[in-house]
Amino acid sequence: MIDQDETKRTTQAGPELTYDEAEQTALLARTLDRLGNRAGLPPLMPEGPWHPGIDTEIANVSLIWLSAERADGVPSAAAYLAALHLWNDNLSAAHEIVQSAETPTAMLLHGIVHRREGDYDNARYWFRQAGNHPAYHGLQVRVAAYLKSSRPVGGAVGDALEQMGAQGSWNPYLFVSAAAMLEYRTEEREARARLEYVQQLELEAAIRFLEGNLGALRDE
């Protein structure tokens, strides 16, 4: 767990960076609280950021502080901030972070960005680059449990949802296909609500994986 020492620490990583641990801890906690209490789930294809003020808060989180001086900390910290931007529906901010990153998690998030943009071919490409990501392992269990407890919906999207619930492992391409089916079917509200919930489970799986990598965000 990140300690609460209020003294400022300085690190040499290019230009000198200074951060206050207590302030950073409070900032991140406030950001997560606001995202967690937003009204409604993030849409499959947002029109813009949900809350511009949260973008500012995310931008003020120190990568050096968040990385906790771990060997792979900075790439994981950057991906974590991209995931928070995705939660806030700021696809461009998330894309700016992940487009030059080469880690599997950044590639997974890159796929989500393009899927939510409606750029489905690029989404599939980046999901292929991410491979069988460890975040998928617990995700499928959660998705299956949710869909099993939900009322079935009809149509082609309903068939895709049924496949999602029955598959043995998470298939990001099936989700891409289901999202593409819904792009112009605004009347299928129940199917859209199911996919939005599954999308949130997917994002939370990536965030949970990154928190495990960073370690400093939770008790060890």
Side-chain angles (χ1 to χ4, degrees), residues 44 107 118 157 212:
L44 298 178
M107 293 173 182
V157 180

Side-chain angles (χ1 to χ4, degrees), residues 5-6 51 55-56 59 61 66 86 89 97 106 120 159 161 191 206 213 220:
D5 181 5
E6 294 188 8
H51 196 305
D55 285 330
T56 301
V61 175
L66 191 56
L86 276 172
D89 301 336
I97 294 172
Y120 303 115
D159 291 342
L161 286 165
N213 273 5
E220 295 186 278

Side-chain angles (χ1 to χ4, degrees), residues 6-190:
E6 294 188 8
T7 61
K8 291 187 176 181
R9 293 186 181 180
T10 303
T11 182
Q12 296 290 339
E16 187 177 30
L17 300 175
T18 304
Y19 58 83
D20 183 290
E21 292 194 7
E23 288 178 359
Q24 288 287 304
T25 301
L27 172 63
L28 184 57
R30 182 170 64 251
T31 302
L32 292 172
D33 185 64
R34 293 174 74 182
L35 287 170
N37 287 295
R38 65 176 287 181
L41 293 169
L44 298 178
M45 292 182 64
E47 296 181 357
W50 172 65
H51 196 305
I54 292 180
D55 285 330
T56 301
E57 292 184 349
I58 296 170
N60 285 332
V61 175
S62 164
L63 277 178
I64 302 301
W65 167 78
L66 191 56
S67 70
E69 300 179 359
R70 295 170 186 271
D72 65 344
V74 171
S76 292
Y80 186 79
L81 297 183
L84 296 188
H85 279 303
L86 276 172
W87 197 350
N88 194 42
D89 301 336
N90 191 331
L91 304 186
S92 61
H95 194 207
E96 186 175 347
I97 294 172
V98 301
Q99 65 183 347
S100 59
E102 298 181 354
T103 65
T105 308
M107 293 173 182
L108 185 160
L109 296 173
H110 203 157
I112 295 175
V113 168
H114 282 295
R115 189 189 66 218
R116 297 186 71 190
E117 290 176 336
D119 186 358
Y120 303 115
D121 286 341
N122 255 333
R124 293 184 182 95
Y125 170 83
W126 286 107
F127 285 128
R128 283 196 298 273
Q129 301 310 302
N132 184 23
H133 195 281
Y136 292 160
H137 302 168
L139 171 60
Q140 180 57 37
V141 173
R142 293 180 177 86
V143 170
Y146 164 67
L147 293 176
K148 183 178 180 180
S149 67
S150 303
R151 186 177 70 177
V153 296
V157 180
D159 291 342
L161 286 165
E162 186 176 349
Q163 291 179 54
M164 283 184 204
Q167 63 192 1
S169 58
W170 178 247
N171 180 352
Y173 313 109
L174 179 57
F175 192 104
V176 171
S177 297
M181 289 179 207
L182 270 182
E183 183 171 354
Y184 300 107
R185 301 181 187 182
T186 56
E187 73 281 1
E188 296 189 29
R189 295 182 179 177
E190 278 195 271

Side-chain angles (χ1 to χ4, degrees), residues 200-220:
Q200 186 63 17
L201 291 177
E202 174 192 50
L203 183 61
E204 289 175 0
I207 288 173
R208 190 178 298 110
F209 172 80
L210 287 164
E211 287 178 344
N213 273 5
L214 293 166
L217 297 173
R218 60 173 61 196
D219 292 327
E220 295 186 278

